[in-house]
């Protein structure tokens, strides 16, 4: 590995750091609203709404036009391609609506997973080919950060060395292309919760995967201060008979991160991964209260665990819009408190707060 390379020019470093620090502002987190058309279709079907372009637009309008107080809890929102080019019924582009509340628009830039040949149902993620051109366009159109999700599966023989190496490399290549386009990368190596494994197996797999991703990002000269990791919390597998307490989840998660991630990283935002809204909030709170030293902001970037109660309250009906937006405000505020370790478990109810949101072999 050559050590002959240039650091990014100072103005680029400054711009990336400023965006990343804004995303990681104390007590703020990120709304993941970047469901693909088919995934959004499943969420809409759950509440009896047809998966039409207009219904997806109406739903995203509901999320993004929530009262500006939501900007006290949200620093960013990740969008799917179509939302970047959609607008409110009055014609205001969603990117402008978000920016006016101090919420930074972001964009999912991967194009989903594909199988790894002859593997045990393992996958890698596609989307590199025209990434530089797409990033340049998204930046011009108001997006300042991006997300790329890789998926790793815990089974007896997996994740394999191939899956770990391949996904680490594709994440590193993605992150470097984003940074060259003045876009902060959110690097997401998600370890699925499917399986009967225990807490310590999830911790060891998380450490192995994160160590590989960090090495690959180093090799690709990624600028750490302008980069964010989006990771799973360390929990027992969904089918494990052993349940873990919030303190056990917190210690296993904090330990895995402390053993692997450089202090220079701008921050960590957790995915919710099928936890209920309340579990995701309680676990984030416990992680922020965990004994020992974590050198980065530890916050949320939830999809399902920020939207389940919103979708249920809305049900596709305009007359429910305010109630649904109130669900977003209160759950985002609960997570904001949890990001500071100040949440009191049970303090915030919601229509779907206790509902498990697990989806087998989750696609995004
Ligand atoms: P969940 O919070 O629903 O797991 O999704 C977050 C996300 O952005 C996954 O890529």
């Amino acid at each position: 590995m050559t050590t002959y390379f240039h650091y990014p020019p100072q103005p680029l470093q400054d711009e990336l750091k400023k965006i990343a620090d804004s995303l990681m502002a104390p007590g703020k987190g990120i709304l993941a609203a970047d469901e693909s058309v088919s995934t959004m279709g499943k969420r809409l079907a759950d509440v009896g709404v047809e998966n039409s372009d207009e219904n997806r637009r109406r739903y995203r309008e509901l999320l993004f036009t929530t009262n500006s107080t939501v900007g006290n809890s949200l620093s960013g929102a990740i969008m799917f391609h179509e939302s970047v080019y959609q607008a409110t019924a009055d014609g205001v582009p969603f990117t402008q609506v978000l920016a006016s509340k101090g919420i930074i628009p972001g964009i999912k830039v991967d194009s989903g997973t594909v199988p790894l040949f002859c593997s045990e149902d393992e996958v890698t993620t596609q989307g590199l080919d025209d990434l530089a051109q797409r990033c340049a366009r998204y930046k011009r159109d108001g997006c300042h950060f991006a997300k790329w999700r890789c998926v790793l599966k815990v089974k007896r023989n997996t994740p394999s060395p191939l899956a770990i190496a391949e996904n680490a490399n594709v994440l590193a290549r993605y992150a470097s292309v984003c940074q060259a386009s003045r876009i902060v990368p959110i690097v997401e190596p998600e370890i699925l919760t499917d399986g009967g494994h225990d807490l310590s197996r999830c911790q060891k797999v998380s450490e192995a995967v994160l160590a590989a991703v960090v090495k690959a990002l180093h090799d690709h000269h990624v600028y750490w201060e302008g980069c964010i990791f989006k990771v799973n919390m360390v929990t027992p597998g969904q089918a494990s008979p052993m349940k873990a307490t919030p303190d056990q989840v917190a210690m296993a998660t904090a330990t895995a991160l402390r053993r692997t991630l450089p202090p220079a990283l701008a921050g960590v935002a957790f995915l919710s991964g099928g936890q209920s809204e309340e579990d995701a909030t309680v676990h984030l709170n416990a992680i922020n209260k965990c004994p020992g030293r974590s050198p980065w902001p530890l916050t949320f970037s939830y999809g399902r665990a920020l939207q389940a109660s919103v979708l249920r309250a809305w049900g596709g009906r305009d007359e429910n819009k305010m109630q649904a937006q109130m669900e977003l405000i209160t759950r985002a505020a609960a997570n904001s408190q949890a990001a500071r370790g100040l949440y009191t478990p049970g303090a915030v109810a919601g229509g779907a707060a206790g509902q498990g949101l697990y989806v087998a072999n989750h696609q995004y």
Side-chain angles (χ1 to χ4, degrees), residues 8-306:
Q10 195 60 46
L12 178 55
Q13 292 190 29
D14 293 346
E15 180 175 358
L16 291 169
K17 182 169 180 349
K18 189 162 169 235
I19 299 165
D21 287 346
S22 303
L23 287 167
M24 292 292 116
K28 292 196 186 187
I30 299 169
L31 168 65
D34 57 316
E35 298 85 357
S36 62
V37 170
S38 63
T39 300
M40 197 61 232
K42 290 178 205 150
R43 303 277 192 279
L44 292 175
D46 287 345
V47 294
V49 177
E50 187 201 340
N51 187 18
S52 62
D53 293 1
E54 177 56 10
N55 282 338
R56 290 194 303 279
R57 193 204 63 74
R58 283 173 65 230
Y59 175 62
R60 265 71 182 248
E61 173 168 353
L62 179 159
L63 290 177
F64 302 153
T65 59
T66 297
N67 183 289
S68 342
T69 53
V70 81
N72 298 331
S73 311
L74 297 181
S75 57
I78 317 174
M79 289 184 279
F80 186 61
H81 176 83
E82 67 177 357
S83 304
V84 178
Y85 300 99
Q86 285 173 331
T88 63
D90 304 342
V92 188
F94 287 158
T95 49
Q96 257 181 47
V97 174
L98 289 167
S100 72
K101 298 179 206 293
I103 300 174
I104 303 173
I107 174 74
K108 184 234 296 291
V109 293
D110 69 69
S111 47
T113 57
V114 285
L116 283 174
F117 185 52
C118 293
S119 71
E120 288 188 25
D121 196 29
E122 295 190 283
V123 293
T124 183
T125 299
Q126 302 197 115
L128 285 180
D129 278 359
D130 57 350
L131 183 62
Q133 292 88 325
R134 289 190 292 129
C135 281
R137 181 168 167 215
Y138 288 134
K139 181 77 183 183
R140 257 198 326 273
D141 295 337
C143 297
H144 300 285
F145 72 103
K147 177 191 109 174
W148 179 293
R149 174 177 182 255
C150 280
V151 175
L152 295 120
K153 303 181 182 181
V154 185
K155 294 187 194 153
R156 191 181 157 79
N157 303 311
T158 70
S160 64
L162 168 68
I164 293 175
E166 160 60 23
N167 283 291
N169 198 65
V170 82
L171 282 166
R173 179 76 193 123
Y174 140 79
S176 63
V177 172
C178 284
Q179 290 195 332
S181 299
R182 300 161 45 220
I183 285 190
V184 166
I186 296 201
V187 172
E188 181 180 7
E190 175 173 358
I191 296 155
L192 291 185
T193 112
D194 302 49
H197 52 277
D198 63 12
L199 186 72
S200 67
R201 172 108 170 102
C202 182
Q203 181 180 327
K204 184 63 189 168
V205 170
S206 298
E207 289 173 6
V209 167
L210 290 173
V213 174
V214 167
K215 171 73 167 99
L217 263 66
H218 268 296
D219 292 346
H220 285 250
H221 314 314
V222 169
Y223 170 60
W224 288 104
E225 291 82 349
C227 179
I228 291 167
F229 268 43
K230 176 159 175 166
V231 301
N232 53 282
M233 293 179 188
V234 174
T235 62
Q238 162 71 21
S240 171
M242 319 251 292
K243 301 298 167 210
T245 65
D247 285 347
Q248 288 170 330
V249 167
M251 186 48 85
T253 303
T255 302
L257 302 183
R258 290 167 184 164
R259 285 179 179 169
T260 53
L261 301 185
L265 181 70
V268 176
F270 292 99
L271 57 97
S272 61
Q275 300 178 55
S276 70
E277 290 180 337
E278 180 66 6
D279 282 353
T281 306
V282 167
H283 286 157
L284 178 63
N285 193 59
I287 290 168
N288 274 290
K289 287 172 65 177
C290 184
R293 207 164 29 85
S294 295
W296 340 260
L298 296 162
T299 188
F300 59 96
S301 174
Y302 297 159
R304 284 165 286 178
L306 267 176

